[in-house]
Amino acid sequence: MGVALAKSVQWKAAEFGTGTLETTPLNESILKEITKFVEMFIVKHPHEAKFVFVEPLEWKTKLTPSVFNTDYIVSETMVQSEEVDQHRQPLLELRVPQIKVRSFGQLSQLLLIAQDKQLEEARACIEGDIYPPSWELNGKTEEKGEIDYERKGKIYKDLVEFLKDKSTVFSESMSKQEAKRNEEQQQNKTDGKPQKEEPSTSQKTVPGSDISKLEKTQIDFEKSQMTKRLQPSLNWKTSVDLKEHRSSLKDSTEEKHGKPRASISHGRPQLLRKSVEKIEETISESSSESEEDEEATDHRQEANADLPSEYWQIQKLVKYLKGGNQTATVIALCSMRDFNLSQETCQLAIRDVGGLEVLINLLDTDEVKCKIGSLKILKEISHNPQIRRNIVDLGGLPIMVSILDSPHKSLKCLAAETIANVAKFKRARRVVRQHGGINKLVALLDCGQSTAEPTLPSLYETRDVEVARCGALALWSCSKSHSSKEAIRKAGGIPLLARLLKTSHENMLIPVVGTLQECASEENYRAAIKAERIIENLVKNLNSENEQLQEHCAMAIYQCAEDEETRDLVRQHGGLKPLASLLKKTDNKERLAAVTGAIWKCSISKENVTKFREYRAIETLVGLLTDQPEEVLINVVGALGECCHEHENRVLVRKCGGIQPLVNLLVGINQSLLVNVTKAVGACAVEPESMLIIDRLDGVRLLWSLLKNPHPDVKASAAWALCPCIQNAKDAGEMVRSFVGGLELVVNLLKSDNKEVLASVCAAITNIAKDQENLAVITDHGVVPLLSKLANTNNDKLRRHLAEAISRCCTWGKNRVAFGEHKAVAPLVRYLKSSDTNVHRATAQALYQLSEDADNCITMHENGAVKLLLGMVGSPDEALQEAAAGCISNIRRLALATEKAKYN
């Protein structure tokens, strides 16, 4: 931070230090460097980390008191560190949302607590403390923070010369170091000469060891280099010599073994590579059919970064695990757990020296203590995506699955929790399923409850229920796979999950509801969820204080509410009111997305829409149309689209100012959002006053432009939305003609292969053709042959709108004759055999228009139209009656005229 940092980073305001940081790659890089430096400061410089700042760093934090551990005094709104300065002032003090930090040690611990929010905290700290207290370094700080860089003393060639001049002890030490280094370099030059070629087998590792002699030599060399960096010999002074030394060592190694080496050692390459390996993980197969989705890339240390002492200490412990007896193994496992295994450095230290193989091998022993220690370590380090893959590659999952049959409940718990961490990608889930893991995990859910309403608080203290919780965690991870969902259902998991859902303990409820939420995407599960009366408990837990539980319950309702009966159950059990209440809590975006999704699906039922209007949810939804992530917007707009099918709600949306933000969303690129927005705008366009606003905001042109969208769903939704717009616009004919190339675009969409697109375009043409000038234009663009080509379809939705379009197009010129020439009449007669009354009405009207042409009447008569139309004359639908009677009348008049002409 300070002046140099304020000038280096990029600010939003006109001058540095007066605004907020820009979101740029440079700033992100600087923030990561700062975070990495501060996080490791307490490890590399433990003494300096205790120094107290003259003035504290202060900023607004997003951390809550609940995330702080036992080293702090925590209350609902305040946190104080137990570590204090000489004036008894805490070195860290949080009064929500302001936080003060007085030492690097506390700053480092704060970053560890922040976890995935580290960059946000670093950004807030920099923005809040642009000019922290400065240290006087042979100069003075001026009032505005500018440092006076005017030289005050002698000029030295480099820092070494400066220290030699100031310290005789340092000068003597440097002389000794230089002499020693010269001897080492001379010795290395002697050792680096080509040696006699040894057999290729020398590259193999010694049995029982994961490090070759060559690798051990290189590790020792790297350690010596690290030691030198801690001594006053200052490596930068001899960087050229060091590079030459490494080059000579590499050359001698290549000549010795006859081929170049691929990497320097087995212990360090994974941490020292500059290129970041891309991690592929499947987070949710429910929403994606891809083999494996990407997970967040892991943060690796730069090639020139110093490895902390923990890295080497852990590797020594792994050696004890390999060669020690049972007692030494247990002690090594316990010692390893004393390290912070949540740090990537510690995790990769275990892996890089072959520790994973040892830990997995320990799971095959008969010693329960060794198994427990190994599983506890594997459970912690398996949060790392790379470690998860390594565990699967080494065959660890089948062993863990077999442990699920163990009589020791502690082993069952640890094995299930580790499986829950590892089964985050598709291949791991497949391994669990193929080795019978699903059936064993489902069996863990059975807590042995004998009554429907057990005394859950006391029951939860037992180990059986802890085993069930761990089993639910593992099933939650596995349930992201379609095959695993089916396996859970066949294993009888739904009744057991339903029983566990009655508990009041949130630690149990979250994985249980999470599993149900994942599985509810399957139709078989939704039917089973209704049968087990799970909806009632989901609604009940919406009133919980736990945000994560609320989110998963709302998401489960969202998945299940595709079914009308489920939507009714949600309303009957009082679930609509808590959903409307949660809609006002916008701080947690994941929960908000789940809640708005549940409201969207529940709004498909009119009775639920009435309830939402009573709870004033529609006004809240309109307020969420701006400044929200796309996941929330998709659901909000979808819910408004369903609500706007009723006149009262359309008026409410208009009065709340919802038309403009809806129209603004028409320029987006998200496919799902565009589909829902066009539906909502189309629903609002039914009201003439709303249509005026849409037209004034250029909404019709935006809808028309979406007909060019590459996604068929967007095209179809836009075409459907244009229908009410054309119906309710003033001077609709002129408005449609004002769109250059618009009519040709609509006609060309009749060449689509998508049935929904064809039906929606036919509906749009029906409205466009009401204006005679527009009808003439689309006729010139070839609408008749394209409509005729679609006549041979079995889709009733397309049949209805196609027949309506043909009926409208018959009113221009010789279109009636043209339809007959393009063989459209005979297929239309077959439409009369459909079971859909709407198809009957549209077809009868089209046949009535076509029957004005004599040749068409003959075709209808030959295809049996008269008999079918006679049955429809008695229909209660007056429009159908009229059209059928009119068509029969035209056919009959032609027959009489023909008969009369024959006798004359």
Side-chain angles (χ1 to χ4, degrees), residues 401-402 404-405 412 419 429 431-446 467 471-472 474-475 478 483-493 496 525:
V401 169
S402 65
L404 296 175
D405 291 327
K412 288 182 178 180
I419 290 173
R429 291 192 284 269
V431 172
V432 173
R433 186 175 68 254
Q434 290 174 346
H435 287 82
I438 299 296
N439 289 339
K440 294 178 181 181
L441 289 170
V442 169
L444 297 183
L445 299 180
D446 191 353
V467 171
L475 287 175
C478 293
S483 301
S484 297
K485 291 175 188 176
E486 189 63 20
I488 294 171
R489 187 183 65 82
K490 289 180 178 178
L496 293 173
Y525 267 94

Side-chain angles (χ1 to χ4, degrees), residues 217-280:
T217 302
Q218 187 63 23
I219 288 176
D220 293 338
F221 174 71
E222 296 290 345
K223 286 184 180 179
S224 69
Q225 294 304 319
M226 286 187 62
T227 305
K228 288 180 181 180
R229 279 195 287 270
L230 298 177
Q231 296 172 353
S233 59
L234 301 176
N235 280 347
W236 64 80
K237 183 174 170 60
T238 57
S239 59
V240 176
D241 294 335
L242 180 59
K243 289 179 181 178
E244 292 176 354
H245 167 71
R246 290 190 174 181
S247 176
S248 64
L249 180 63
K250 179 179 178 182
D251 293 339
S252 64
T253 304
E254 292 175 2
E255 293 173 358
K256 181 178 180 181
H257 296 289
K259 60 180 181 179
R261 297 179 61 230
S263 60
I264 56 173
S265 74
H266 188 62
R268 290 190 51 157
Q270 297 300 325
L271 283 175
L272 296 183
R273 285 184 302 184
K274 283 188 177 180
S275 59
V276 178
E277 180 181 349
K278 197 173 185 181
I279 303 303
E280 294 181 353

Side-chain angles (χ1 to χ4, degrees), residues 42 46-59 68 71-73 79-95 98-110 113:
I42 194 172
H47 179 66
E48 289 81 358
K50 296 179 181 179
F51 290 172
V52 180
F53 301 153
V54 176
E55 294 292 335
L57 297 175
E58 184 174 359
W59 69 92
F68 288 82
D71 296 330
Y72 298 86
I73 303 170
V79 175
Q80 290 184 341
S81 64
E82 294 180 350
E83 188 179 4
V84 296
D85 61 11
Q86 59 182 357
H87 302 296
R88 308 301 298 170
Q89 290 288 326
L91 297 186
L92 183 146
E93 184 177 14
L94 168 63
R95 298 178 183 271
Q98 291 292 127
I99 189 168
K100 295 180 180 180
V101 181
R102 298 176 181 271
S103 73
F104 265 113
Q106 287 296 328
L107 202 58
S108 182
Q109 291 184 25
L110 181 67
I113 293 171

Side-chain angles (χ1 to χ4, degrees), residues 388-409:
R388 288 201 282 266
R389 292 187 174 281
N390 295 139
I391 289 173
V392 176
D393 294 338
L394 294 169
L397 275 179
I399 303 174
M400 295 178 198
V401 169
S402 65
I403 292 176
L404 296 175
D405 291 327
S406 170
H408 297 278
K409 293 173 182 176

Side-chain angles (χ1 to χ4, degrees), residues 29 39 62 173 190 265 287 323 345 403 419 502 543 645 742 832:
S29 176
E39 188 176 7
K62 293 185 179 179
S173 177
T190 304
S265 74
S287 58
T345 303
I403 292 176
I419 290 173
K502 297 176 182 178
N543 296 307
H645 289 309
L832 297 175

